[in-house]
Amino acid sequence: MSSPPGEPRKIGYLYILPAFLVYAAFLLYPLGRAVHLSLFEWDGITLGKFVGLSNYADVIADGGLRAAFGHALVLIVFYSVLPVVIGLALASVLQRARVRGLGFFRTVVFLPQVIAMVVVAVSWRHIYAPDGPLNDVLRAVGLDSVARGWLGDYTFALPAVGVIGTWFETGLVTVLLLAGMARIPAERYEAARLDGAGAVAEFFAVVLPAVRGEIAVAVTLTVIAALRTFDLVYVTTSGGPGNSTSVPSYEVYHRAFELGQVGSAAAIGVCLTVLIFAITLGVNRLADRSTS
């Protein structure tokens, strides 16, 4: 006797139920709780006061918070755009040149990913210090006027933090793209060369279309890293000088644990979650269209 229609689907739901319960307990419930808290004015200790969407209105009206979100968008250039461009160029050269010891090179460029971000931040803070190695090199080559306290400069503090992100993410992007390029059949390269394509034309005709999926993954991961960065900013600048390097994740910490504005911090966190979801959804939609 055959099983009634629909039963296999119900059984399938039972298989995914344990994973869904874990997902709900550690992601959906905290997210729902954050949305709930964002509707209150609460200091984390006394009884909260319901204020509706006032905290969200403050996120829009507060110039400092708008600037923090703007800083996060600027960091996307350093965390995502530059690593993807550099990673594409580096991976293409390595793949085309068939460099010896490629496995060792992959390990070296990926190394920043296995170092705790706090360690990275402390190291770069020393590099950027007024008497640090970077300024020593600049003075040694006669560029004394360029040397400065990079993390204490209103103009250069945010780009300086961004450069750390570029260094940190480039290895991950390069390894992802190398893996994608390794799957390209040799026949495609041969066909392009028979058509007279040079290195640049071969890159745009063969390599770039073949690694669009890897590029989408790299952009998604690096954009998320840029928008949720906290430890790097906290250790290097603590949002300073002034608020020139403040980002939403740091504002969540600052308002919740230093100012006692838990409701406002929750609203910022919810807005940041929505922004991350919207950008990653857009990236994946574009990737799906380009591969279809």
Side-chain angles (χ1 to χ4, degrees):
M1 181 176 178
S2 61
S3 60
E7 185 173 330
R9 177 172 291 184
K10 293 179 180 178
I11 294 174
Y13 287 144
L14 290 176
Y15 279 114
I16 67 172
L17 181 60
F20 176 76
L21 291 176
V22 174
Y23 180 80
F26 291 98
L27 183 68
L28 297 182
Y29 173 75
L31 181 59
R33 181 63 174 156
V35 173
H36 178 254
L37 289 175
S38 69
L39 304 177
F40 290 81
E41 182 180 323
W42 184 45
D43 61 4
I45 301 174
T46 60
L47 187 65
K49 175 186 175 183
F50 182 78
V51 293
L53 299 178
S54 295
N55 288 324
Y56 293 97
D58 289 342
V59 172
I60 298 173
D62 191 319
L65 287 179
R66 291 200 307 271
F69 278 91
H71 297 157
L73 295 178
V74 171
L75 288 181
I76 289 178
V77 176
F78 290 96
Y79 271 74
S80 185
V81 177
L82 290 179
V84 168
V85 172
I86 296 171
L88 272 171
L90 193 56
S92 299
V93 170
L94 291 171
Q95 187 67 22
R96 184 178 179 85
R98 304 292 180 183
V99 177
R100 274 185 163 184
L102 190 57
F104 174 75
F105 178 80
R106 287 177 179 173
T107 303
V108 171
V109 297
F110 192 75
L111 190 59
Q113 292 292 319
V114 301
I115 302 175
M117 182 55 81
V118 173
V119 177
V120 171
V122 171
S123 300
W124 277 88
R125 188 175 63 184
H126 171 66
I127 292 172
Y128 282 137
D131 57 349
L134 177 58
N135 285 331
D136 288 343
V137 171
L138 292 174
R139 294 186 184 103
V141 297
L143 297 175
D144 302 60
S145 60
V146 179
R148 67 193 70 234
W150 297 92
L151 295 176
D153 189 290
Y154 280 87
T155 302
F156 291 97
L158 186 62
V161 172
V163 167
I164 303 174
T166 302
W167 173 82
F168 187 79
E169 299 293 344
T170 296
L172 172 64
V173 174
T174 303
V175 170
L176 281 173
L177 295 176
L178 278 172
M181 292 176 188
R183 295 187 292 102
I184 302 175
E187 293 79 7
R188 293 189 185 181
Y189 292 106
E190 294 172 1
R193 289 163 188 167
L194 287 174
D195 289 338
V200 176
E202 182 182 295
F203 171 79
F204 285 103
V206 178
V207 177
L208 195 58
V211 296
R212 281 176 179 169
E214 285 76 11
I215 292 175
V217 172
V219 169
T220 300
L221 293 175
T222 52
V223 165
I224 292 174
L227 293 176
R228 66 177 178 82
T229 185
F230 164 74
D231 39 9
L232 178 60
V233 170
Y234 179 77
V235 174
T236 54
T237 65
S238 295
N243 293 320
S244 60
T245 60
S246 180
V247 291
S249 294
Y250 179 78
E251 285 295 330
V252 171
Y253 164 81
H254 176 61
R255 289 175 180 253
F257 297 103
E258 295 182 348
L259 301 182
Q261 300 174 3
V262 179
S264 176
I268 298 169
V270 172
C271 291
L272 180 60
T273 301
V274 172
L275 178 62
I276 291 174
F277 179 80
I279 292 179
T280 53
L281 180 63
V283 169
N284 285 284
R285 286 285 181 88
L286 288 174
D288 290 341
R289 288 181 182 178
S290 64
T291 55
S292 62

